[in-house]
Amino acid sequence: MRGDGDGWVIAESGSHHWGRHGAAGLLLRAPQPGGGAAVLLQHRAPWSHQGGTWGLPGGALDSHETPEQAAVREAHEEAGLPAEAVHVRHTLVTAEVAAVGGGSWSYTTVIADAAALLDTVANRESAELRWVAEAAVTELRLHPAFAASWPRLRELIAAMPLRATQPPAD
């Protein structure tokens, strides 16, 4: 079943969306030295869909995954983030379209916190990974869907205090 989500869904509008079962991305926040929060952004490889733009690490959901599981897995694959360092706080469906042949496709943004600015290791899907101050996100050339959802996400995270420490292990 691993990887069974890879593939395009065609929307009734004719647009193409990656992830046969939908997709999810991780909006990871961490405290910056001196105060405030930064978010981890991915500069998408030139060959990828919407390459050259900045967005969230993320990708296709496999049939057995929740959006939270997929977003954390993709962040590990694309940025080298250890799952145990990521504390999921909230999920929000930030895009949904009707698919050709019935059904729908959706993109879920998973909001999470880390205790510190984690080291990252880019895979081939990333030209660069960067921690960016929340206030500076719009200064970058954003992936169009991320740009459309950022104002709503920014409002949501502004009302959600950053957790500077991880919860105790079970």
Side-chain angles (χ1 to χ4, degrees):
M1 289 200 322
R2 174 95 168 109
D4 70 347
D6 289 349
W8 294 99
V9 170
I10 301 172
E12 289 179 346
S13 67
S15 60
H16 290 68
H17 303 274
W18 184 252
R20 294 178 51 232
H21 308 290
L26 187 70
L27 176 56
L28 184 61
R29 307 179 311 157
Q32 296 184 104
V39 295
L40 180 64
L41 295 182
Q42 174 192 50
H43 193 200
R44 300 170 62 82
W47 60 264
S48 68
H49 181 64
Q50 297 290 340
T53 61
W54 290 85
L56 304 176
L61 274 73
D62 290 335
S63 62
H64 63 282
E65 291 181 305
T66 65
E68 296 88 349
Q69 291 168 330
V72 171
R73 174 184 53 78
E74 287 283 345
H76 175 72
E77 291 173 6
E78 295 178 2
L81 299 176
E84 62 274 7
V86 174
H87 175 67
V88 173
R89 303 282 307 278
H90 189 76
T91 61
L92 180 68
V93 174
T94 49
E96 190 163 16
V97 296
V100 170
S104 65
W105 176 92
S106 64
Y107 184 92
T108 302
T109 300
V110 177
I111 300 168
D113 292 343
L117 301 176
L118 303 173
D119 290 333
T120 60
V121 178
N123 74 355
R124 66 183 194 88
E125 295 180 42
S126 304
E128 179 185 356
L129 295 160
R130 184 187 303 170
W131 287 98
V132 177
E134 289 178 358
V137 168
T138 57
E139 295 171 14
L140 300 171
R141 182 174 167 244
L142 300 178
H143 181 286
F146 180 56
S149 65
W150 179 244
R152 184 173 168 204
L153 290 166
R154 180 89 194 272
E155 185 177 311
L156 180 62
I157 62 178
M160 189 182 302
L162 181 65
R163 288 193 182 156
T165 58
Q166 296 302 102
D170 292 349

